[in-house]
Amino acid sequence: TSRITRSDEDKEGSWDAWGAWSDCSRTCGGGASYSLRRCLNGRNCEGRNIRYKTCSNNDCPSDVGDFRAQQCSAYNDVKYQGHFYEWIPVYNDPTAPCALKCQALGKNLIVELAPKVLDGTRCNVESLDMCISGICQAVGCDRQLGSNAKEDNCGICAGDGSTCRLVRGQAKTHVSPEKREETVIAVPHGSRSVRITLKGPAHLVVESKTLQGDKGEHSFSAPGTFVIENTTVEFQKSTDKEIIKIQGPLGADFIIKTRYSGSKESVVQFFFYQPISHQWRQTEFFPCTVTCGGGYQLNSAECLDIRLKRVVPDHYCHYYPENKKPKPKLKECNMDPCPSSDGFKEIMPYDHFQPLPRWEHNPWTACSVSCGGGIQRRSFVCVEETIHGEILQVEEWKCMYAPKPKVIQTCNLFDCPKWVAMEWSQCTVTCGRGLRYRVVLCIDHRGQHVGGCNPQLKLHIKEECIVPIPCYKPK
């Protein structure tokens, strides 16, 4: 549809109103519908008299053939240059994507049987772009004409890639005559853009396991395209190399294994986008803390298994670093004043409303060590103050809206006291063998003389000394 600006209003005024939308050009698989309008002042109107939109965007049943192939086969009973041919479509023609080009089956004969394909025919196999009135028109993943919306790596239209995570890496496999098979990696249900590359003599094997528990094993003897659990698998093979490619999404869990074929070591490289199968879901709000007079209510978050549609323990959601647990929300509730006992409503000032719960902590425990770095802990309780000033301990979820204070901290980080030796004294003799002494003190991190050093580690305070002067006894 054209964009209307102020300068366009006069131009638009010369057109009649748009007519009704036509029937869709297809009943499934994505077609086109058009609407017309009439120029009210002869042929002097600016703009177009026809507009299009997509329709019938539901997928066709599996037994319905390709739309371009149907249009080619319609010419099977029409003679071409005096002969009947069975026509098959030519796809992805870059020069004329919206012409009906067909090839005679078994012949090297390609003919343009019609200048335009029917509206709604895909321009090429890889995209949703469609031919309308012989012109290739952009179609986004939201199936809207002119849309630029693209699927993200997770398969979500116009998504931000937050519903899946990239898994890539490589593993060495050590299969041998004694250990003939080894599991490399499990690629879960719903994964996309899977690429498994094996380099070495071993063979790749796929074990499938559906959500219903059905199991199967699939090995590949020759290159080709195979269907495993409604999933198209492309297998490539060359000397000392095997590759499995799966566009996805996978219809089951695929366990990739290697099977023994030779004594040489093999390396398997893997790359795929794995759906985040567990996500946080915010709960409904808990009941209001009071029935009147102004209270509050909180919600929380629970971990949901998306595949099984059930709540599971929180640690399943912590497995994905992309998953951030939503903070609890808090809102006021039951703000109407409480009726007084004599039947009249008492207007309560805001100060009398129930204060929010808060964390209160107990004192820190003693430090685990007296020096050298230890830890100390404290515990917390969630308390609530009533409108009468009474402090009550309540359930922890009521304080979840507030960040929980530290429950552990380091302490006594200073160095422990240690033995420090002073200078040695002079030797006790002036010749020959004698003794010398020194003072050894226990010094703390502030340089003060204290106790607390390990007596067994105390440095020795005396030792022998020799003065290199011979001693002469008197005659």
Side-chain angles (χ1 to χ4, degrees):
T1 58
S2 64
R3 290 175 294 178
I4 300 173
T5 62
R6 278 198 299 276
S7 59
D8 288 337
E9 287 177 2
D10 296 335
K11 300 172 188 174
E12 291 293 321
S14 55
W15 287 101
D16 196 0
W18 285 105
W21 289 102
S22 70
D23 290 338
C24 197
S25 62
R26 299 185 65 186
T27 56
C28 65
S33 175
Y34 64 86
S35 170
L36 299 170
R37 62 179 177 175
R38 189 164 53 103
C39 182
L40 297 176
N41 59 358
R43 297 185 177 180
N44 297 325
C45 295
E46 287 189 39
R48 303 188 63 169
N49 70 330
I50 188 168
R51 61 178 180 173
Y52 295 94
K53 70 174 183 178
T54 57
C55 48
S56 298
N57 287 317
N58 53 304
D59 292 333
C60 292
S62 55
D63 57 344
V64 175
D66 175 72
F67 194 36
R68 194 180 281 265
Q70 291 172 14
Q71 295 170 61
C72 284
S73 62
Y75 289 86
N76 289 352
D77 54 359
V78 178
K79 278 189 177 181
Y80 177 77
Q81 296 182 346
H83 298 280
F84 289 107
Y85 296 99
E86 187 176 339
W87 299 102
I88 57 174
V90 175
Y91 296 102
N92 302 348
D93 184 346
T95 57
C98 290
L100 183 63
K101 288 191 176 180
C102 308
Q103 181 177 357
L105 186 64
K107 311 280 184 187
N108 194 21
L109 175 64
I110 296 177
V111 181
E112 185 180 292
L113 295 178
K116 298 178 186 177
V117 290
L118 297 178
D119 287 354
T121 308
R122 298 267 182 268
C123 305
N124 54 66
V125 174
E126 287 80 23
S127 77
L128 295 172
D129 296 350
M130 67 170 59
C131 294
I132 298 177
S133 194
I135 299 171
C136 185
Q137 305 272 9
V139 176
C141 60
D142 54 0
R143 304 294 181 108
Q144 298 304 307
L145 209 58
S147 165
N148 293 321
K150 298 275 192 297
E151 281 190 356
D152 65 7
N153 292 321
C154 313
I156 305 298
C157 184
D160 60 1
S162 61
T163 60
C164 66
R165 61 200 294 262
L166 173 61
V167 178
R168 66 190 305 174
Q170 71 174 30
K172 289 183 180 179
T173 65
H174 305 277
V175 284
S176 63
E178 295 76 34
K179 184 186 177 185
R180 302 192 65 83
E181 197 172 84
E182 186 171 85
T183 298
V184 179
I185 191 167
V187 186
H189 179 281
S191 295
R192 292 172 176 267
S193 305
V194 182
R195 184 183 176 96
I196 311 291
T197 305
L198 179 142
K199 294 175 183 176
H203 290 309
L204 285 171
V205 179
V206 174
E207 183 184 294
S208 62
K209 182 179 178 183
T210 67
L211 295 179
Q212 292 75 35
D214 300 327
K215 290 185 177 180
E217 189 175 270
H218 316 271
S219 56
F220 310 97
S221 55
T225 301
F226 307 89
V227 176
I228 301 173
E229 301 298 347
N230 297 324
T231 306
T232 302
V233 177
E234 182 187 345
F235 177 69
Q236 300 173 358
K237 181 178 174 62
S238 61
T239 308
D240 255 23
K241 190 174 184 179
E242 293 185 356
I243 300 174
I244 290 176
K245 291 182 180 178
I246 311 169
Q247 189 59 36
L250 267 60
D253 292 332
F254 280 15
I255 293 92
I256 308 299
K257 297 182 173 182
T258 52
R259 187 163 286 167
Y260 176 72
S261 176
S263 56
K264 189 180 167 188
E265 190 178 70
S266 297
V267 175
V268 178
Q269 297 172 330
F270 47 88
F271 176 105
F272 57 92
Y273 287 96
Q274 172 187 346
I276 295 178
S277 54
H278 296 88
Q279 284 185 321
W280 294 108
R281 179 179 69 179
Q282 291 203 318
T283 65
E284 298 294 322
F285 278 91
F286 295 117
C288 193
T289 53
V290 296
T291 55
C292 62
Y296 62 89
Q297 55 190 149
L298 284 161
N299 75 350
S300 182
E302 57 195 8
C303 185
L304 181 72
D305 187 317
I306 298 168
R307 301 195 299 182
L308 304 176
K309 301 284 191 299
R310 70 181 185 206
V311 177
V312 293
D314 281 7
H315 68 262
Y316 284 97
C317 283
H318 293 313
Y319 174 68
Y320 303 101
E322 301 87 344
N323 266 350
K324 296 283 188 290
K325 187 172 184 177
K327 289 186 177 178
K329 293 178 180 174
L330 178 143
K331 67 179 181 180
E332 295 173 327
C333 53
N334 295 343
M335 302 303 289
D336 293 332
C338 295
S340 60
S341 56
D342 60 1
F344 293 99
K345 284 192 175 181
E346 178 188 357
I347 304 301
M348 297 182 64
Y350 185 80
D351 290 351
H352 286 181
F353 284 7
Q354 184 179 11
L356 294 178
R358 63 180 185 272
W359 294 108
E360 278 207 352
H361 59 82
N362 293 318
W364 290 106
T365 60
C367 194
S368 57
V369 295
S370 59
C371 60
I375 57 169
Q376 56 187 163
R377 305 172 185 274
R378 63 180 175 180
S379 58
F380 281 86
V381 291
C382 182
V383 299
E384 187 175 70
E385 187 176 342
T386 68
I387 54 175
H388 306 296
E390 189 180 359
I391 305 293
L392 301 174
Q393 184 175 338
V394 293
E395 303 96 326
E396 281 202 355
W397 64 260
K398 290 189 175 184
C399 286
M400 287 196 316
Y401 75 94
K404 198 167 185 177
K406 283 201 306 182
V407 295
I408 187 171
Q409 72 174 11
T410 54
C411 52
N412 293 351
L413 299 176
F414 50 84
D415 292 336
C416 292
K418 56 189 176 186
W419 295 109
V420 176
M422 303 291 110
E423 292 290 327
W424 285 105
S425 68
Q426 295 291 326
C427 199
T428 54
V429 295
T430 56
C431 65
R433 188 184 301 272
L435 293 172
R436 63 175 182 172
Y437 297 87
R438 65 178 175 181
V439 176
V440 175
L441 301 174
C442 183
I443 304 297
D444 66 8
H445 64 286
R446 292 187 294 267
Q448 296 181 347
H449 179 209
V450 294
C453 294
N454 186 346
Q456 295 176 340
L457 300 178
K458 186 175 180 179
L459 304 168
H460 59 279
I461 60 172
K462 70 173 181 177
E463 67 179 15
E464 281 190 347
C465 55
I466 298 173
V467 177
I469 297 173
C471 295
Y472 298 96
K473 292 181 181 179
K475 290 184 180 178

